[in-house]
Amino acid sequence: MSRFSPAVRSLLRQPCSSQWRKTPAIASSQAWIKPAYQPIRHLATPAAMPPTSKENIGVYCNPAHDLWVKESGPSVDEVKSGSALKEGEVTIAIKSTGICGSDVHFWRHGRIGPMIVEHDHILGHESAGEIIAVHPSVKNLSIGDRVAVEPSQICNECEPCLTGRYNGCLEMRFMSTPPVDGLLRRYVNHSATWCHKIGDMSYEDGAMLEPLSVSLAGMQRAHIALGDPVLICGAGPIGLMTLLCSAAAGAEPIVITDIDQKRLDVAKEICPRVRTYKVEPGVSMEDAGAAMSKLAGGSLTTALECSGVESSIAAAIYSVKFGGKVFVIGVGKPDMQIPFMRLSTQEIDLQFQYRYANTWPRAIRLVQSGILDMKRLVTHRFDLEDAVSAFETSAASAKTGAIKVLIQNP
């Protein structure tokens, strides 16, 4: 130590502290020195870290259409030590996760288009939770932060990413879409970039931000404006969410359709001014479209199709007037027949949507401000250990009355 000055030697002999402090030996210079050893941010103190005594479990399906709950990663030891965290990642204790129709589809049918379940696969992509571990490279999140998880993992190099339309990333890894495991687990490691702070928002509302983002993306791309007459096809979770958004945007009149009267009743409950149309069996697409148009006063310019059902898309095409637009938010079968000449002779635009981009900050503002209240859409809640029952309830929505089923991990 002889090569150091007396002041520095004095400093080196002093015990380290986790706080910035002024060194007495050089106090007269008002110099402030940071201690040599810093707290490791990914290792929480016992007082700060939430309980992680429970083993990590996840909700799995497979090509045989089985559904079960079993042990998953990261392990409790990895969570406590932070050893499994990569640069830029955090660990989230997932508190609430919504069941999406795509989750049910992967379980029951094993695929959606080219996305095929080929191995044991963890479901879930509508989640919110608490940060319980942070890699040292992460500066914008801390242990204890409440976050909603955007389930995207992008390359940040392809044209869609670089032009802000990252939902079209050529190397997209979207959680719960095979082969990428989903969020229906007790603990998940995820990129901090895609963890959005939600403050004191409930975890349930935080989980609902994902389907809300789907509706917001459709609203933005369809350019719904104040006073626009709008048709919403399908009163499922996305259709009802789109109804809330359309009402908040000032669309008028709004017509919503479904085959289930109970769901139309919910639509009327959350938006009393909406006009409902029950789709009856045996009614032609042309007649259904004409009835929807009449209900809106013959002025429909935009239809937001939220079911993905072929007959519903066709009816929407027959409902809008010359120069109108049918914007398809819903996901359907790979091949469909559509009334091409109706589209052509009436100059009707047919557009489609794939997920979302840059919607989460907007969604958080809308919920935190009270402009949108999504609570009525949650009809059932289950513990993570009872996830199989939760999925059965969601899949049998016509009998159970389920709209949005949430899986919770208190």
Side-chain angles (χ1 to χ4, degrees):
M1 293 178 62
S2 60
R3 66 183 181 275
F4 298 115
S5 68
V8 173
R9 288 201 300 272
S10 173
L11 169 63
L12 293 175
R13 292 191 186 99
Q14 295 180 29
C16 292
S17 166
S18 62
Q19 304 296 322
W20 290 81
R21 56 186 171 81
K22 191 184 294 183
T23 304
I26 50 175
S28 59
S29 64
Q30 297 299 305
W32 291 83
I33 295 179
K34 199 172 184 178
Y37 300 103
Q38 293 300 301
I40 301 175
R41 298 182 72 237
H42 70 278
L43 296 178
T45 64
M49 176 174 260
T52 53
S53 58
K54 292 184 178 180
E55 290 297 325
N56 197 5
I57 55 176
V59 182
Y60 292 78
C61 68
N62 64 13
H65 314 299
D66 300 315
L67 185 73
W68 72 100
V69 178
K70 74 169 185 178
E71 187 176 334
S72 180
S75 69
V76 171
D77 289 340
E78 288 173 331
V79 170
K80 289 181 177 179
S81 68
S83 59
L85 283 173
K86 299 176 183 176
E87 184 174 353
E89 286 188 340
V90 296
T91 302
I92 310 111
I94 299 296
K95 299 297 186 181
S96 185
T97 300
I99 296 178
C100 177
S102 65
D103 294 318
V104 175
H105 216 79
F106 283 132
W107 161 41
R108 287 196 152 184
H109 303 283
R111 67 183 299 165
I112 297 176
M115 298 165 282
I116 304 171
V117 177
E118 297 179 332
H119 308 284
D120 290 357
H121 177 66
I122 301 176
L123 298 165
H125 59 266
E126 305 176 0
S127 298
E130 181 181 358
I131 301 294
I132 59 173
V134 181
H135 189 275
S137 61
V138 175
K139 307 302 180 186
N140 63 317
L141 292 173
S142 300
I143 291 169
D145 283 344
R146 301 160 64 90
V147 297
V149 184
E150 184 171 352
S152 303
Q153 301 174 62
I154 65 173
C155 72
N156 267 318
E157 295 179 353
C158 66
E159 181 179 343
C161 286
L162 296 178
T163 56
R165 300 184 65 184
Y166 59 82
N167 54 315
C169 174
L170 302 180
E171 302 294 334
M172 170 66 80
R173 291 174 54 81
F174 192 88
M175 303 191 79
S176 83
T177 296
V180 183
D181 282 333
L183 296 170
L184 260 173
R185 286 175 269 177
R186 188 165 278 137
Y187 316 116
V188 174
N189 292 342
H190 195 54
S191 171
T193 300
W194 304 108
C195 294
H196 303 273
K197 293 181 183 180
I198 59 173
D200 60 357
M201 182 189 300
S202 72
Y203 289 123
E204 287 195 359
D205 278 347
M208 295 286 279
L209 293 175
E210 200 279 344
L212 174 56
S213 284
V214 173
S215 294
L216 287 178
M219 295 284 294
Q220 289 177 262
R221 290 198 57 222
H223 302 294
I224 302 302
L226 193 69
D228 281 352
V230 170
L231 168 68
I232 300 170
C233 297
I238 297 299
L240 292 172
M241 196 78 77
T242 302
L243 171 60
L244 289 173
C245 293
S246 297
E252 177 62 28
I254 307 174
V255 177
I256 192 167
T257 73
D258 205 273
I259 61 174
D260 187 341
Q261 183 59 49
K262 292 180 180 178
R263 291 197 167 189
L264 293 176
D265 293 342
V266 174
K268 198 74 174 176
E269 182 182 337
I270 64 175
C271 180
R273 64 183 174 89
V274 72
R275 307 173 189 185
T276 63
Y277 176 80
K278 185 182 179 186
V279 180
E280 300 290 353
V283 177
S284 70
M285 298 175 291
E286 295 91 338
D287 289 346
M292 296 169 192
S293 176
K294 182 178 180 180
L295 194 57
S299 62
L300 281 172
T301 57
T302 305
L304 300 172
E305 210 298 313
C306 299
S307 74
V309 175
E310 181 178 305
S311 59
S312 181
I313 296 172
I317 291 170
Y318 282 109
S319 74
V320 296
K321 63 183 183 180
F322 184 90
K325 176 188 295 184
V326 175
F327 191 91
V328 182
I329 299 174
V331 177
K333 61 185 183 180
D335 299 299
M336 296 186 186
Q337 289 185 331
I338 59 172
F340 174 83
M341 286 308 299
R342 167 72 179 180
L343 290 166
S344 176
T345 60
Q346 297 300 301
E347 291 191 359
I348 296 170
D349 293 336
L350 181 61
Q351 290 183 267
F352 298 86
Q353 172 182 335
Y354 189 53
R355 297 176 180 150
Y356 40 73
N358 307 304
T359 52
W360 290 69
R362 183 188 301 261
I364 290 169
R365 291 194 299 270
L366 288 169
V367 175
Q368 286 182 331
S369 66
I371 293 175
L372 295 181
D373 185 351
M374 307 177 290
K375 294 179 179 60
R376 176 61 182 88
L377 305 187
V378 179
T379 55
H380 296 77
R381 298 168 178 85
F382 293 83
D383 290 339
L384 181 58
E385 293 83 354
D386 299 324
V388 173
S389 296
F391 270 80
E392 291 170 344
T393 300
S394 182
S397 59
K399 293 181 179 180
T400 63
I403 297 175
K404 179 57 68 174
V405 178
L406 292 181
I407 296 175
Q408 300 173 317
N409 181 41

